[in-house]
Amino acid sequence: MTRNYQVYRAALPEVCAAQPTKMVFTADADGRCEVFTWDASTRRARQVTDRPHGTLHGAIDRDARVWWFDEDGNGSGRWRHQAFDGGPDEPGLLGVPEGEPRGLAVGDGGRVAMGLGDTRSTTVHVGRRGGAAREVTRVDGHATLSGTTPDARLLALSGPAGSARAVTVLADDGTVRAVLPGDGPDGRLWSLGFAPVVDRVELLLVREVNDRYLLASWSPDAGVVTHSWCGFDTEITARWHPEGHSLLVRQDRHGRSALHRVHLAERTVEPVPTPRGTLLDAAPRGGCDVHFLWTDTATPPRLVSTAGTELPPTHDLPERVPGEHRDLWTPGPDGPVHSLIGLPEGRRGAVPAVFLVHGGPADHDRDAYDGVVHSLVASGFAVVRVNYRGSTGYGPRWRRAFGEGVGLTQVADLVAVRADLVERGVVRADACGLWGTSWGGYLVLLALGLHPRLWQTGVAVKPVADCAAAHRTTTAALRALDERLFGGTPDEVPERYERSSPLRYAAVVEAPLLVAAATRDAKCPPGQVRDYLTALRHAGVRHESMWLDTGHDGYEADDHVAVLRRAVVFLDRELRHGRPRTTPQTTRSDRSGETGRARTSAPAGTGTTHTGRSSGHAEGHHPQ
């Protein structure tokens, strides 16, 4: 089996606290994401999992037991573990029903706490590793186990950050010790985990107050203490240093990252030097060592240890990729709109452009390597990534700026950036396409319907196509987010859902369109996509469709490659050559064959594997 050991997702290796040379990471293995071990002392890697659809979630505990989530194609399963050097697979806890993973914590002595959920509720179980499980609590809706004390006597359960139960602290017998609200005048609240020490109990929090993010903490004696001296103007996340007295804070700001070391007792903030670009993840280790996963648009991700610790290699990745990369700030009603622009090397005059529209909406495009950007720039396109209003990394006011309405605000920013680039002579007005996934795919469909003459083509992958229908059939967490964005349910504010729904505008779309959807997508369900495709057919809109036999968050490289190749060929044909009207095409991926590759009538195109658009910040992200 070929093992490239490429970092497959935006996460560092998990390190065993008691044996810091022993690590677990997820990486590419023949086109699937799998769990590996890494022993820094011997520089040896071992593949732990080998599952038909890959394995996304991995961890390591203090006893160097390797954990992973054994899930089915719908994302439901159980936690299992294995010895670091190999051996039989064992259940994490006995008697736990299957569910979606919603947090795992393994404390001293193999004490385990795990959160599992379904469409209706979240349940937390505790027990000794491999022993019988005991249900601690069951709550309605989506919640996440965000940490335990080292002795697993206290647990933190996170709900929606703006709710009355943003964080709940529980004893291991289910007794509620504290409920921390995030819906009052003190602002929204996130839990980031307990201090990893046995001599005190302190839960790290982040609070949004007056358009800033402040560090805070909870303890049984003092309650919540907000550290008002330590604030940041854009989203942050933080981790405890192993000694439990200082913090490593990672800040997302204007499409790039910054690191800070915070000493709570001394009330000091120190910058941690890192290269210009994006840190997809960062974690403090023993002593002064910090591990981070760094990248910029021209450089694939690299694992770095400030103390020179041997980390898993990233083989077969180029040092740099072709293209010229720059920033653009376009004036807008709520402040300038920031875009990341990639241009073909040696460009002369205006060129065809593809607007890559990020998902979320509470996410942002980063100065980070993206296989889609690489492929398009190498194919001669300008690539435009717009951090429209609603994006993270620009402060709470920007994230809340939905003045024109859900989706309509974001499309207005795409239109403004397009006009700016056309006026500057960078992109051709007659050759502008759109490509987005999830919420980004939703904005592609909406933009093509709202401004049919401005866009020459579009690619929408796993999109929301009918806002009301998606709300009725999506997950509970996304229904709650929809209701916050729209101000109610489709029954309560039907005109808002209707006004923001791509289906309303399907009949006026003029640009040829490629839609790729998933048959088992719980977040952007297939039924509402099929209704949109039917509306396109009835209106005579030229389009193609491609169906993947996966869920929303598939992580098999074959699917990424199939969509990437089909989309690049489609965009090249429509933006550079303008093919005449053809009969709509439909293809379906075939996972029953030996290779499991999507079958498509499109010819092979140029490109590299798309490993996904990364996200990670204090806000969390909307998978639409």
Side-chain angles (χ1 to χ4, degrees):
M1 175 178 288
T2 302
R3 298 180 177 91
N4 293 325
Y5 304 136
Q6 296 181 14
V7 176
Y8 195 88
R9 63 187 180 99
L12 286 170
E14 294 280 347
V15 177
C16 175
Q19 303 178 65
T21 64
K22 294 187 175 182
M23 310 177 188
V24 163
F25 65 102
T26 52
D28 176 75
D30 285 349
R32 299 185 319 279
C33 181
E34 298 291 359
V35 175
F36 292 78
T37 61
W38 171 255
D39 190 331
S41 64
T42 61
R43 302 185 64 185
R44 294 184 61 183
R46 179 179 70 87
Q47 183 173 338
V48 177
T49 58
D50 186 9
R51 302 172 63 248
H53 299 290
T55 311
L56 184 61
H57 304 283
I60 189 169
D61 65 26
R62 293 184 61 85
D63 300 320
R65 300 291 298 189
V66 181
W67 292 74
W68 73 94
F69 195 71
D70 185 11
E71 63 189 284
D72 60 23
N74 296 316
S76 182
R78 295 184 176 93
W79 284 101
R80 301 180 69 80
H81 64 94
Q82 182 187 112
F84 186 86
D85 295 321
D89 299 339
E90 299 179 26
L93 291 174
L94 300 176
V96 177
E98 291 189 349
E100 299 172 357
R102 294 186 184 167
L104 171 73
V106 185
D108 297 338
R111 297 180 179 90
V112 180
M114 60 177 65
L116 292 167
D118 55 28
T119 58
R120 299 177 299 277
S121 64
T122 299
T123 306
V124 177
H125 301 268
V126 299
R128 295 278 182 174
R129 183 180 53 224
R134 177 168 49 86
E135 183 176 310
V136 173
T137 189
R138 181 187 298 267
V139 298
D140 292 337
H142 189 282
T144 303
L145 176 69
S146 52
T148 71
T149 52
D151 61 7
R153 297 294 177 84
L154 290 180
L155 305 88
L157 192 64
S158 295
S163 70
R165 302 180 71 90
V167 180
T168 302
V169 181
L170 301 163
D172 62 354
D173 63 359
T175 303
V176 174
R177 297 290 299 274
V179 176
L180 312 180
D183 62 345
D186 292 331
R188 297 196 299 162
L189 195 67
W190 294 264
S191 167
L192 298 181
F194 287 96
V197 292
V198 296
D199 60 348
R200 77 179 197 281
V201 173
E202 186 172 6
L203 177 64
L204 178 63
L205 306 165
V206 171
R207 186 182 290 283
E208 180 187 315
V209 181
N210 296 328
D211 293 319
R212 291 178 66 79
Y213 295 95
L214 305 179
L215 290 177
S217 57
W218 173 90
S219 64
D221 296 330
V224 176
V225 175
T226 299
H227 306 292
S228 56
W229 55 272
C230 189
F232 301 84
D233 62 350
T234 59
E235 285 80 1
I236 61 171
T237 189
R239 290 179 173 177
W240 291 99
H241 274 264
E243 91 291 340
H245 294 286
S246 61
L247 308 168
L248 184 69
V249 175
R250 174 165 54 100
Q251 181 182 17
D252 288 328
R253 192 171 193 276
H254 299 177
R256 296 182 173 87
S257 304
L259 280 185
H260 314 270
R261 183 165 185 171
V262 175
H263 300 265
L264 294 178
E266 292 84 355
R267 296 165 64 99
T268 60
V269 181
E270 304 170 359
V272 178
T274 58
R276 175 182 168 88
T278 293
L279 305 178
L280 300 176
D281 198 4
R285 304 306 186 196
C288 295
D289 195 9
V290 174
H291 296 178
F292 57 83
L293 181 59
W294 173 85
T295 180
D296 66 13
T297 303
T299 313
R302 297 175 181 174
L303 287 166
V304 178
S305 163
T306 59
T309 303
E310 289 283 352
L311 298 177
T314 50
H315 297 315
D316 302 328
L317 291 174
E319 286 296 313
R320 291 182 65 80
V321 299
E324 302 173 10
H325 307 287
R326 62 183 69 170
D327 291 31
L328 175 74
W329 293 87
T330 300
D334 290 297
V337 181
H338 182 211
S339 302
L340 300 167
I341 314 297
L343 299 170
E345 291 183 352
R347 173 187 67 92
R348 294 183 179 179
V351 295
V354 177
F355 284 66
L356 278 183
V357 188
H358 74 72
D363 196 359
H364 64 274
D365 269 314
R366 297 156 170 79
D367 179 15
Y369 175 79
D370 187 319
V372 173
V373 176
H374 180 177
S375 299
L376 291 171
V377 170
S379 299
F381 292 103
V383 176
V384 185
R385 294 178 288 169
V386 180
N387 282 326
Y388 47 70
R389 282 170 288 174
S391 301
T392 52
Y394 300 84
R397 293 190 185 203
W398 188 259
R399 198 193 61 247
R400 295 193 301 264
F402 280 76
E404 288 90 336
V406 177
L408 308 173
T409 301
Q410 290 70 42
V411 169
D413 288 346
L414 294 173
V415 169
V417 173
R418 176 195 174 279
D420 191 4
L421 287 168
V422 169
E423 183 178 357
R424 292 170 184 263
V426 176
V427 306
R428 286 172 41 189
D430 64 342
C432 289
L434 295 155
W435 182 350
T437 299
S438 198
W439 172 276
Y442 157 68
L443 293 180
V444 168
L445 300 183
L446 189 60
L448 292 177
L450 288 171
H451 303 281
R453 299 296 177 90
L454 293 185
W455 311 101
Q456 280 65 55
T457 190
V459 176
V461 181
K462 301 178 182 177
V464 171
D466 181 341
C467 294
H471 178 274
R472 287 191 294 269
T473 53
T474 190
T475 65
L478 296 188
R479 282 197 297 273
L481 183 51
D482 282 344
E483 289 163 23
R484 178 167 66 84
L485 291 175
F486 285 100
T489 68
D491 291 333
E492 294 166 338
V493 287
E495 70 287 348
R496 296 181 187 175
Y497 284 80
E498 174 70 13
R499 185 165 174 256
S500 296
S501 180
L503 183 62
R504 175 180 180 178
Y505 310 99
V508 299
V509 171
E510 297 183 9
L513 178 61
L514 169 64
V515 177
T519 58
R520 292 182 282 121
D521 193 333
K523 297 177 180 177
C524 300
Q528 46 100 35
V529 177
R530 292 190 179 99
D531 290 343
Y532 182 82
L533 294 173
T534 298
L536 292 181
R537 285 194 295 273
H538 288 164
V541 177
R542 183 157 60 94
H543 67 280
E544 302 176 16
S545 60
M546 179 180 182
W547 285 94
L548 305 171
D549 186 21
T550 67
H552 188 82
D553 299 313
Y555 39 89
E556 293 184 60
D558 284 352
D559 291 331
H560 291 308
V561 171
V563 173
L564 176 63
R565 288 179 173 171
R566 178 76 174 268
V568 170
V569 170
F570 181 84
L571 291 167
D572 183 75
R573 183 182 72 212
E574 300 300 338
L575 291 180
R576 275 204 271 259
H577 305 296
R579 293 288 181 85
R581 189 183 189 93
T582 59
T583 302
Q585 301 178 30
T586 300
T587 61
R588 181 179 298 276
S589 70
D590 182 2
R591 307 305 304 175
S592 62
E594 194 170 307
T595 63
R597 294 182 182 274
R599 290 195 298 221
T600 173
S601 59
T606 59
T608 59
T609 302
H610 176 205
T611 58
R613 314 298 294 279
S614 61
S615 66
H617 40 74
E619 164 65 16
H621 66 283
H622 186 349
Q624 288 183 185

